[in-house]
Amino acid sequence: MDLASDLLHQDVLFFSILYSMTTALFGGVVARQLRKQDLRVDVRSILILMMLFLGESICFVALPGYSGLSVFAVACLLSYCTLPGTGFLPIEGKAVLITGCDSGFGHALAKHLDQLGFTVFAGVMHLTGPGAEDLRMGGSQRLTVLQLDVTNSDQIARTFAKIKDDLDYKGLWGVVNNAGVLEFVADAELLPLNIYKRCMEVNFFGVVELTKMFLPLLRQAKGRLVNVTSVSGIIPSSVFIVKHCIVKAQH
């Protein structure tokens, strides 16, 4: 009798743990789903969570063992399928600053966000260049092309004042630090020091200075900061690989 009681107690404990793990897993998935909805919790989501905890108790008592656990797991899956979709955050009234929009990713991103409905401030190095002209001609009235050299403190300050005035103190929803240079790819001994300085001024100090300037507008709108980097920072160029292979072969 004692052995049977012990086995029954172990079974109850085992399935209690399984039910708890299933409930915790599904509850975590539901909570993550609700966070994706920008914390907009509707009545249906609350009812699903209440039915989840009620269903756990019913299945555990009415259908002990794996059968009850299987029914409960299927119920969790069906409940998840009925959750509302996440969708995208609303775009209306959101403004984004992008640096390095003369060409490449910055140019394409400025066009894309403009088409989606964002207010876009596109910083360019050459205000009369083909990239800037293309943005002005192909963009909507929401897209503003600005002269912005990230190594020029005066231009950063003027851009900040312009954007702050245009947004009427509403803040920036996004700052994309896209401007960057690679300069020349060569052996470290052959490159003059000014090449290194130029890369640091644009790719590092320019990013830091512009970010520090626009942080108040980002905080105001609870916005996002995006730093675009290059794969060249982690993968060596073919020039270095070839030289390394030649040196290794000579040894």
Side-chain angles (χ1 to χ4, degrees):
M1 188 68 179
D2 293 338
L3 179 60
S5 298
D6 290 342
L7 291 175
L8 178 61
H9 177 71
Q10 291 177 5
D11 287 342
V12 171
L13 180 61
F14 174 71
F15 284 104
S16 296
I17 294 174
L18 288 182
Y19 272 97
S20 300
M21 291 175 61
T22 305
T23 305
L25 177 62
F26 181 70
V29 171
V30 172
R32 183 180 179 184
Q33 187 83 354
L34 295 178
R35 282 199 300 270
K36 288 182 179 179
Q37 300 176 42
D38 203 19
L39 301 180
R40 294 190 295 272
V41 182
D42 56 8
V43 177
R44 183 171 59 173
S45 301
I46 296 176
L47 289 176
I48 290 175
L49 289 174
M50 293 176 62
M51 292 175 62
L52 166 68
F53 293 106
L54 180 62
E56 176 191 9
S57 302
I58 294 176
C59 290
F60 183 75
V61 175
L63 296 171
Y66 289 105
S67 58
L69 184 61
S70 300
V71 172
F72 179 63
V74 172
C76 289
L77 179 61
L78 294 176
S79 300
Y80 175 75
C81 293
T82 61
L83 285 173
T86 56
F88 291 101
L89 293 174
I91 294 175
E92 184 180 358
K94 288 183 169 60
V96 179
L97 167 66
I98 309 170
T99 64
C101 294
D102 296 84
S103 61
F105 293 141
H107 187 87
L109 181 61
K111 284 186 172 182
H112 180 65
L113 294 184
D114 177 50
Q115 293 171 358
L116 290 178
F118 285 94
T119 298
V120 180
F121 296 96
V124 297
M125 185 72 172
H126 306 288
L127 196 57
T128 59
E133 188 63 27
D134 181 57
L135 290 176
R136 278 192 291 264
M137 295 295 294
S140 69
Q141 294 182 349
R142 294 184 305 272
L143 195 154
T144 303
V145 181
L146 302 172
Q147 174 73 55
L148 180 56
D149 179 357
V150 296
T151 65
N152 189 314
S153 300
D154 292 336
Q155 289 187 16
I156 293 177
R158 286 198 296 268
T159 300
F160 175 79
K162 164 70 175 173
I163 293 177
K164 186 176 181 180
D165 183 61
D166 286 359
L167 295 179
D168 194 22
Y169 301 97
K170 293 180 181 178
L172 270 174
W173 192 69
V175 171
V176 182
N177 285 310
N178 171 73
V181 294
L182 179 59
E183 295 294 348
F184 298 100
V185 179
D187 189 272
E189 294 176 296
L190 301 179
L191 290 177
L193 191 59
N194 66 301
I195 298 296
Y196 292 96
K197 291 181 178 179
R198 173 64 178 169
C199 286
M200 289 299 294
E201 287 174 357
V202 178
N203 299 345
F204 179 72
F205 293 112
V207 172
V208 172
E209 183 175 1
L210 186 133
T211 300
K212 285 170 62 66
M213 177 67 71
F214 283 92
L215 275 178
L217 293 183
L218 280 176
R219 290 196 188 98
Q220 193 173 353
K222 297 181 179 179
R224 281 79 168 157
L225 175 66
V226 179
N227 293 324
V228 180
T229 60
S230 172
V231 70
S232 298
I234 57 176
I235 298 179
S237 170
S238 58
V239 174
F240 301 106
I241 296 176
V242 171
K243 180 181 178 181
H244 175 73
C245 293
I246 293 175
V247 173
K248 188 174 181 180
Q250 290 176 346
H251 285 78

